[in-house]
Amino acid sequence: MREMMRRDAASAALGMVVDLDEPGRSVVSMLVRDDMLNGFAITHGGLVFALADTAFALACNEDERVTVAAGADITFLKSTHAGQTLTATAIRRVRSGRTGLYDVTVTDDMGDVVAEFRGRSVTTNRR
């Protein structure tokens, strides 16, 4: 596991598991717990976003330079519930200079698309 994930207390607290970590591509999964539900007993959208954001972070940190989000947006397509496993698959679309564009698809345990996320990255001078 990469150092950035070893230090990621938020993703660890949410029970996220890195299933694939390659330059420009990652897969991260998370079991939805009862404490992740909103007032309508469906998965809180912020936690779906957090899962997609973690997959995005892995995919866009392709080398030793620190790359962070410049922006992101998400479209929610299907609600989910406690006991389901969500999987976020991130893929690089474009990387040019210090900026990048990455798409993340979040699916449920049936393979249905739950959300589509698009992240924009910027690479810093930090290592």
Side-chain angles (χ1 to χ4, degrees):
M1 181 186 308
R2 282 200 271 162
E3 186 63 27
M4 68 175 276
M5 285 307 294
R6 278 194 284 276
R7 292 189 311 249
D8 188 338
S11 295
L14 294 172
M16 292 183 197
V17 175
V18 176
D19 300 310
L20 176 72
D21 180 7
E22 298 175 351
R25 187 163 190 270
S26 72
V27 178
V28 181
S29 59
M30 177 180 76
L31 176 66
V32 178
R33 305 181 311 236
D34 288 334
D35 64 344
M36 296 175 167
L37 304 181
N38 65 19
F40 299 108
I42 59 176
T43 310
H44 192 290
L47 298 175
V48 176
F49 186 98
L51 175 65
D53 188 52
T54 295
F56 165 52
L58 283 166
C60 73
N61 278 278
E62 300 188 36
D63 55 33
E64 71 281 350
R65 297 171 299 164
V66 175
T67 300
V68 296
D73 57 78
I74 193 166
T75 301
F76 300 105
L77 301 166
K78 180 183 177 191
S79 60
T80 58
H81 306 278
Q84 290 186 276
T85 298
L86 303 182
T87 302
T89 302
I91 187 162
R92 176 190 346 101
R93 293 296 176 204
V94 177
R95 186 175 183 205
S96 178
R98 294 181 52 221
T99 63
L101 185 66
Y102 297 78
D103 286 334
V104 183
T105 299
V106 180
T107 57
D108 63 15
D109 41 12
M110 300 299 293
D112 293 337
V113 177
V114 171
E116 290 287 348
F117 172 107
R118 175 158 276 189
R120 297 167 302 281
S121 67
V122 63
T123 300
T124 70
N125 293 324
R126 292 179 41 210
R127 292 183 183 261

